[in-house]
Amino acid sequence: MITKYSITAMGNWLLNALHWLCTTVGALVIVGFLTMFCHSCYYDHKPESVLYGTWEKADSEDGYNDHTLTFDWNGEYYNSNTGNETWNYDYIEPDSLILYHHVLYEERYKILKLTEDTMTVRMSEYIFHAEDNGKEIEADYSGGEQPIYTYIRKNLSRTPRP
C-alpha cells in the first residue's frame, strides 16, 4: 500500500540521488576545464613556445628562400630540405637556438629578432661531429661565415600534434 509517507520518502531519495549525480557531473566538468586550462598554459608558456609552428625563409644571404622549418612542442623540428625526417632542437633563453642533425652535425644560431610573426637568426657555428682513433672530435665547419636568415611564420601551432 502506498502512503503519503512512502511517496515523500521516495521523493526525498530521488532528490538526493539527483543532487549527488549533479554534484559528481559538475565536479567532473570543473576538473576537465581545469585540466584543459593548465594544459594550454603549460604549452603556451614554455620558453620555446614562441617557436612553435611553421616558418618560411623570407630573406637570406645565400638566396635560397624556398625553405621551411616546423618546430614542435616536444623539442623536434622538421626541415623541408630533408623531407619528413625528424630532428631535434634546443632553445636556450634568451637568444640561442641549436638545430641537431642526429649525431653528424649541429647548427648553432644566435636569435637576433623573434616575434610572433618574424624570426631573424645568425649562424654562429656549424659543428661537424666525427670520431678519430676512438675519440670524439668536433670541428667547426662554417669557415668563419655567419650568414643571417629571416623567417616569416606560416602558421602557429602551440599545442601538441595528435
Side-chain angles (χ1 to χ4, degrees):
M1 175 156 136
I2 299 178
T3 66
K4 183 177 178 184
Y5 176 73
S6 63
I7 292 175
T8 305
M10 244 191 321
N12 286 339
W13 180 87
L14 185 60
L15 285 175
N16 196 23
L18 286 173
H19 168 76
W20 283 108
L21 177 66
C22 290
T23 302
T24 303
V25 169
L28 291 174
V29 167
I30 289 171
V31 166
F33 280 129
L34 286 175
T35 301
M36 288 184 342
F37 177 73
C38 291
H39 178 72
S40 69
C41 287
Y42 173 74
Y43 289 108
D44 279 347
H45 293 96
K46 287 176 69 173
E48 68 272 14
S49 66
V50 73
L51 291 175
Y52 298 162
T54 301
W55 297 85
E56 185 174 51
K57 192 188 287 185
D59 185 27
S60 67
E61 295 175 357
D62 62 7
Y64 180 66
N65 293 336
D66 187 25
H67 177 243
T68 60
L69 297 173
T70 301
F71 294 97
D72 273 350
W73 63 276
N74 59 359
E76 295 179 342
Y77 79 98
Y78 304 88
N79 184 333
S80 65
N81 290 343
T82 60
N84 291 330
E85 199 160 353
T86 303
W87 309 91
N88 296 320
Y89 74 91
D90 276 329
Y91 173 69
I92 304 164
E93 284 189 283
D95 62 356
S96 295
L97 177 64
I98 303 174
L99 304 180
Y100 298 100
H101 300 271
H102 298 302
V103 295
L104 298 177
Y105 64 94
E106 62 190 63
E107 297 171 356
R108 296 181 182 183
Y109 293 92
K110 175 158 179 73
I111 299 172
L112 303 175
K113 178 183 177 185
L114 183 58
T115 65
E116 285 292 322
D117 57 357
T118 305
M119 174 173 60
T120 303
V121 295
R122 181 180 65 227
M123 182 182 285
S124 53
E125 292 181 291
Y126 186 86
I127 298 174
F128 181 74
H129 296 274
E131 206 171 283
D132 184 28
N133 293 329
K135 292 184 178 181
E136 185 177 329
I137 59 170
E138 292 182 355
D140 185 358
Y141 197 70
S142 64
E145 295 181 21
Q146 294 188 330
I148 295 175
Y149 306 108
T150 299
Y151 290 85
I152 303 297
R153 185 185 302 277
K154 284 179 64 176
N155 68 28
L156 174 63
S157 173
R158 289 189 180 244
T159 55
R161 290 183 189 201

